[in-house]
Amino acid sequence: MLMRRENRRRDATIFPRCLGSRAKCLKERKLALLAKGRLKELLAEKGLRVVFSGAVDRTPSHRRLVNIYRANGREIGKTLLSEGFARAWSPMQPNDWCD
């Protein structure tokens, strides 16, 4: 999951789960594998820029959250959202990839 924090508002990108029992259905697993492949293509591009968002996740290890920008200046998470490989996260709306 890619996350960024801006002005105390948390935006997140949610990807379908692809790992074994974490996928709730076959459709979600297939979509996750496609999303993973597309992310791999994007990360293989030349000229990527990684920017620390200034936030950390809520796990005990407090991993730094970053944004990854393509050479054209577009953030990879936004690219995946626009291509349908990810959905915007909302605390009040479940993301069901099986429907």
Side-chain angles (χ1 to χ4, degrees):
M1 173 169 54
L2 302 173
M3 276 181 117
R4 82 173 181 281
R5 184 173 289 209
E6 294 178 356
N7 300 328
R8 295 187 166 185
R9 188 179 123 226
R10 190 174 78 192
D11 297 329
T13 306
I14 303 297
F15 301 95
R17 297 173 284 253
C18 65
L19 299 175
S21 63
R22 292 188 62 192
K24 292 182 180 177
C25 64
L26 184 59
K27 178 181 175 185
E28 183 177 28
R29 182 165 174 70
K30 287 180 180 180
L31 289 170
L33 292 173
L34 291 171
K36 181 179 176 181
R38 179 61 178 135
L39 179 59
K40 188 175 180 179
E41 289 173 4
L42 292 169
L43 292 174
E45 290 181 0
K46 302 274 188 219
L48 295 180
R49 187 171 48 98
V50 179
V51 178
F52 176 51
S53 70
V56 296
D57 70 7
R58 295 183 180 179
T59 65
S61 62
H62 302 294
R63 295 174 293 196
R64 298 173 126 205
L65 303 177
V66 300
N67 293 317
I68 304 172
Y69 294 91
R70 301 171 71 187
N72 65 7
R74 189 153 190 215
E75 201 264 329
I76 284 183
K78 295 220 183 278
T79 301
L80 293 168
L81 281 166
S82 70
E83 294 176 355
F85 290 108
R87 294 181 182 168
W89 179 83
S90 171
M92 302 306 286
Q93 179 182 349
N95 276 293
D96 186 1
W97 293 89
C98 297
D99 56 8

